[in-house]
Amino acid sequence: MNIGIIGGSGFYRFEMEDAQMAQVPLVQRTAYGEVDLFAAEVGENLVYFLPRHGVGHTVPPHGINYRANIMALHELGCSDVIATNAVGSLKLMLHPGDFVIPHDYIDMTRNRDVTFLDDTSDEVVHIDQTQPYNPYLREVLISAGAGMDVQIHPSAVYICTEGPRFETSAEISMFAQWGADVVGMTGIPEVVLANELKMRYASLCVVTNYAAGVTDKVVMDADVQAVMAESIGSLRAIVMALINRIPA
Ligand code: HPA
């Protein structure tokens, strides 16, 4: 099986401690642009690792070429895509350092290329989004994390904002009333594009902070990065266990 792993904030290199793996940098040229990735063998599976923000975290959320990224993984034959995302928490019970596996989303982005279906044929297509995150991959993620010393919340509603600014307290309060659990800036349109190309997609989110106004603390990049740095070991372990659980 070819599996795509999209690394979010704090996850820039695959570098799994697994003896039989080599990492090969490669550039995939797509109709939407060029994409830098790494290829690695894990058991019988071929893994393509794509750091969403670039290896040096130089690309902001609203500047990411989501269509090129998803098309690159598609062209490389990936049937499954696991994304990792840093998120703010809208609920006190979702603590910084916890992992969350969304089952649904709310799209509050404004300025992104959100579809592959705009420049094609005469036929108008509307894709179903009743279950945007693949239930099978979510189950595999949950079982991959079971037994590890981490708190994993098996479902959540992810709301995606445009960024790059963090949200206001009033926005977060409204999003919470709508039913959102976590907030991030990179989940959309990735999941939509993967769905359009009929790839299985799931997201493993790390709660890095309470969102604006949830506690008295202001939201700071430094806190997001510090929690990601603490969580990256567990994140890698869950991703690795997941890859080993997907049958070749
Ligand atoms: N808001 C939006 N995106 C985020 C946050 C947040 O609070 N934390 C990490 N990514």
Side-chain angles (χ1 to χ4, degrees):
M1 207 71 109
N2 292 4
I3 302 169
I5 306 292
I6 301 180
S9 293
F11 191 13
Y12 308 117
R13 293 181 189 279
F14 194 56
E15 282 171 359
M16 302 291 185
E17 282 163 29
D18 190 301
Q20 44 166 335
M21 283 178 31
Q23 280 197 85
V24 185
L26 69 109
V27 178
Q28 181 71 12
R29 294 188 175 80
T30 76
Y32 301 94
E34 286 185 3
V35 180
D36 291 313
L37 322 93
F38 299 91
E41 274 177 26
V42 182
E44 303 278 298
N45 291 321
L46 190 52
V47 175
Y48 291 100
F49 178 73
L50 194 171
R52 189 192 280 121
H53 298 281
V55 173
H57 201 134
T58 48
V59 190
H62 62 291
I64 293 167
N65 190 342
Y66 294 97
R67 291 199 296 183
N69 288 352
I70 293 296
M71 187 54 82
L73 294 175
H74 179 67
E75 288 176 358
L76 289 164
C78 295
S79 51
D80 298 80
V81 178
I82 303 296
T84 73
N85 304 79
V87 292
S89 164
L90 278 64
K91 302 271 165 72
L92 286 172
M93 58 160 300
L94 303 176
H95 307 100
D98 287 1
F99 287 81
V100 172
I101 300 170
H103 70 285
D104 209 344
Y105 69 74
I106 299 172
D107 179 5
M108 289 299 288
T109 64
R110 311 163 191 212
N111 245 327
R112 303 182 181 190
D113 291 322
V114 293
T115 183
F116 290 119
L117 301 172
D118 55 359
D119 51 356
T120 48
S121 60
D122 22 43
E123 194 193 351
V124 175
V125 179
H126 304 285
I127 59 155
D128 174 46
Q129 288 290 269
T130 314
Q131 286 191 315
Y133 299 96
N134 183 265
Y136 163 75
L137 277 187
R138 290 183 46 238
E139 277 308 317
V140 183
L141 268 176
I142 293 162
S143 70
M148 290 188 197
D149 191 18
V150 288
Q151 184 69 49
I152 300 190
H153 303 272
S155 64
V157 174
Y158 174 105
I159 190 160
C160 192
T161 55
E162 182 66 25
R165 67 169 177 85
F166 288 118
E167 303 70 34
T168 66
S169 302
E171 286 169 332
I172 291 298
S173 159
M174 178 177 74
F175 296 161
Q177 288 175 47
W178 287 355
D181 300 302
V182 293
V183 59
M185 302 177 191
T186 52
I188 309 292
E190 237 174 54
V191 57
V192 182
L193 296 167
N195 277 240
E196 284 186 357
L197 297 182
K198 300 196 166 32
M199 300 155 89
R200 297 193 289 206
Y201 180 100
S203 157
L204 177 60
C205 297
V206 181
V207 176
T208 52
N209 57 285
Y210 286 112
V214 175
T215 67
D216 291 341
K217 216 166 171 285
V218 296
V219 183
M220 297 207 300
D221 272 331
D223 293 332
V224 171
Q225 285 160 19
V227 175
M228 267 319 298
E230 279 166 28
S231 306
I232 188 72
S234 305
L235 184 76
R236 285 175 190 277
I238 298 171
V239 168
M240 200 61 185
L242 168 112
I243 294 167
N244 284 321
R245 277 177 161 75
I246 295 182

